[in-house]
Amino acid sequence: MEKIAKASEGRARHLLLALLSDGFLIVATVAALVLGFLWFMSPLGLGFAEQPADPVRRQWAETLHRLSYYVGIPMLLIGQAVAVICHMGGHRRRGLIISALVIGAFVLCAALALGLRR
């Protein structure tokens, strides 16, 4: 009787963890799509923003923006697709780690680019 209780408890815990990781991946995928779209549209908003007076700072801001725009957006979308494929292929932890790293790297680069523009 105890074996049955432990087995059902283990299955319940496994199911809960699977649902949480699936939910995280769904939210992360939606967030990646929204972030990618918003950053794709960012040149429209940044064109009206004030530029830094310091030419070195302005050059760094432009370089980081170009890097996050031309490398970051594809990295974000492709990385999220790889994370979903890994997750569906049974490598749940690998998919979650890839998703978190890709979104974190993109947000860091975009935040630095925006922070240097002030």
Side-chain angles (χ1 to χ4, degrees), residues 20 43 50 97:
L20 287 175
E50 293 182 23
I97 291 171

Side-chain angles (χ1 to χ4, degrees), residues 63-85:
T63 302
L64 278 174
H65 183 263
R66 276 193 226 109
L67 179 71
S68 66
Y69 192 81
Y70 294 111
V71 176
I73 293 174
M75 177 196 68
L76 178 68
L77 299 177
I78 293 169
Q80 194 61 34
V82 168
V84 169
I85 291 169

Side-chain angles (χ1 to χ4, degrees), residues 27-85:
V27 169
T29 301
V30 170
L33 291 173
V34 169
L35 284 171
F37 175 75
L38 289 176
W39 201 246
F40 178 72
M41 299 302 282
S42 69
L44 295 175
L46 291 177
F48 299 108
E50 293 182 23
Q51 299 294 326
D54 182 20
V56 174
R57 189 172 177 167
R58 181 176 37 236
Q59 182 65 31
W60 271 103
E62 289 174 5
T63 302
L64 278 174
H65 183 263
R66 276 193 226 109
L67 179 71
S68 66
Y69 192 81
Y70 294 111
V71 176
I73 293 174
M75 177 196 68
L76 178 68
L77 299 177
I78 293 169
Q80 194 61 34
V82 168
V84 169
I85 291 169

Side-chain angles (χ1 to χ4, degrees), residues 67-111:
L67 179 71
S68 66
Y69 192 81
Y70 294 111
V71 176
I73 293 174
M75 177 196 68
L76 178 68
L77 299 177
I78 293 169
Q80 194 61 34
V82 168
V84 169
I85 291 169
C86 285
H87 192 78
M88 288 173 44
H91 301 283
R92 292 181 187 274
R93 182 177 292 165
R94 186 178 298 158
L96 295 175
I97 291 171
I98 290 171
S99 178
L101 287 176
V102 167
I103 291 175
F106 177 78
V107 168
L108 178 67
C109 189

